[in-house]
Amino acid sequence: MSPSCCGNGSGVKVGPGYNSPQEAQKGPKEKILYLPAIVPDASRPDYLVTIDVDPESDTYQQIIHRTHLPNKGDEIHHTGWNACSSCNDGNVKRKHLIVPGFASGRIHAVDVFTDPKAPKITHVLEPETILKETGLSWPHTSHCLGDGTIVISTLGDAKGEAKGGFLVLDQELKIKSGTWTDKPTDYGYDFWYKPRFDLIISSEFGSPLAFKGGFDPSLVGDKYGNRLHVWSWKTKEHKQVIDLGPDGLIPLEIRFLHEPSRPEGFLGAALSSNVLSIHPNGDSGKWATSTVIKQPWTPVEGWALPEQPPLITDILVSLDDKYLYFSNWLRGDINQYDISDPLNPRHTGRVFVGGSIRKGSGVTVTDGEFKDNQPEIPAIRGRVPEGGPQMIQLSLDGKRLYVTNSLLSGWDKQFYPDMVKNGSQLLRINVDNVNGGLSIDEDFLVDFGKEPDGPVLAHEVRFPGGDSSSDIWN
């Protein structure tokens, strides 16, 4: 491993971010948030909003700035950083939020350093350039590496057919020597890396042509994935494919324990709605998975299918590696598990903040846990949340969980058309990070249905100083 990926030789971190997850937990309380606002009909550009979450501020719970993108139809999805706690280059600052356009293939660098409350776009990498040099499209997860390189996973080719790959950029948003690996995968989506274990591991969503307009269950066998791909961090060799079988249909987000010396991670399988543990397979040098949280589908009437999957769409691990959180976008609940023993998680909290089986939804539960007990979703600051919980982000101290409820505009239109019409929301969940437990903060809600130019859809939350899903320690 090169020195730039593991420090300056002194054991003292010299780059941006925090020395360790333990140090990050002691970081300052969040005062502003960044998150994308997606225009569902692409009639005007998407934008990045800055939200004031400082209770002492006169503009608390308000959008205080909007950074509009220059083009329509980007469909901002996930964002990342030019540099984070993995970077040990003292000359590099956490200055730019990297904002890929999932649908357009365009990538933006937004300066949040010069004026954190009023970010500005400084660089735009056009899709034509990316396609010409790499043949990749549909950029998704952006991670910063220890040498200051930015790597972005991709899902498509020039036609929008499935093609998993990795785009490599420098700090000026210029493409570095093509792709991270010469071996494309059938599908792409998320990835995580653990340098001490010579590991990069990636997941599979599906073909952009299949998922961009909504979800057709009949295409699951042919146009969606159910495998993990294991790569060597050192050599970039594609070393292993893990077939997840029926327990791992449509594997999306990957999160590992933050402690760099621990090899355990977790995967949320969206359609199967299970959480799988990722861990070394004994001394074989291979990796394995185990289904550690299994969720039943809900028997229903008045919905598209006779059974409804909970549909896990996001997961994260607290910085102290004590708790795992995940959202069920269709069922409508957020769950907390104690993962002190990663192979035997213990359920410690659940809260409903939306979903398709809520009372009054028109969907009737016919059997199982929620028969005659369909959840009632309370109004928060006069607004009943739309949709279901989707992206989640945990405060550094582990006490506040921020939640948005848009997945993809095509899926939102299919499953939650009222949310598309009325706009989505940002919610906050109170977390008991000592004994376990979740509850809705009934005094916090940001309503994206009240935007000046019309309702929009909110997606992934970022804190200016990094968070539990953006920063990786080497």
Side-chain angles (χ1 to χ4, degrees), residues 21-30 258 316-325 334-337 348 393-402 428-439 463 466-468:
Q22 293 77 20
E23 182 182 294
Q25 293 169 58
K26 301 173 184 177
K29 183 178 180 180
E30 68 281 359
H258 298 286
L316 62 78
V317 174
S318 60
L319 286 170
D320 61 2
D321 292 336
K322 181 178 180 181
Y323 291 110
L324 173 78
Y325 299 86
I334 298 170
N335 288 268
Q336 177 196 52
Y337 278 78
T348 51
Q393 191 55 263
L394 187 66
S395 61
L396 299 181
D397 62 8
K399 297 179 180 180
R400 295 166 301 284
L401 189 70
Y402 292 90
R428 190 164 66 193
I429 306 301
N430 299 316
V431 178
D432 182 342
N433 64 346
V434 177
N435 302 307
L438 303 172
S439 64
F463 305 141
D467 50 62
S468 61

Side-chain angles (χ1 to χ4, degrees), residues 61 378-382 428-430 439-445:
Q61 296 192 58
I380 304 171
R381 299 183 69 206
R428 190 164 66 193
I429 306 301
N430 299 316
S439 64
I440 296 174
D441 185 338
E442 297 186 4
D443 295 320
F444 185 94
L445 181 141

Side-chain angles (χ1 to χ4, degrees), residues 277-291:
S277 167
I278 306 169
H279 48 83
N281 188 6
D283 296 325
S284 67
K286 301 287 187 179
W287 291 80
T289 62
S290 304
T291 303

Side-chain angles (χ1 to χ4, degrees), residues 1 20 30 47 54 57 64 69 124 153 248 251 263 376 378 384 426 470:
M1 193 180 303
S20 65
E30 68 281 359
Y47 51 99
D54 180 1
S57 171
I64 59 175
L69 303 188
V124 178
S153 61
E376 187 167 354
V384 177
L426 170 69
S470 68

Side-chain angles (χ1 to χ4, degrees), residues 44-111:
R44 49 197 168 87
D46 298 340
Y47 51 99
L48 184 75
V49 300
T50 308
I51 298 178
D52 186 339
V53 292
D54 180 1
E56 304 301 318
S57 171
D58 293 337
T59 53
Y60 177 54
Q61 296 192 58
Q62 295 181 31
I63 295 173
I64 59 175
H65 187 79
R66 298 168 181 85
T67 306
H68 293 271
L69 303 188
N71 298 278
K72 300 175 185 178
D74 281 303
E75 181 103 22
I76 313 173
H77 198 58
H78 287 206
T79 60
W81 294 104
N82 70 302
C84 56
S85 294
S86 68
C87 183
N88 297 285
D89 186 340
N91 297 314
V92 178
K93 295 180 173 62
R94 191 196 298 264
K95 182 175 181 178
H96 289 101
L97 193 64
I98 305 302
V99 183
F102 193 37
S104 68
R106 186 176 291 109
I107 299 173
H108 313 79
V110 180
D111 179 1

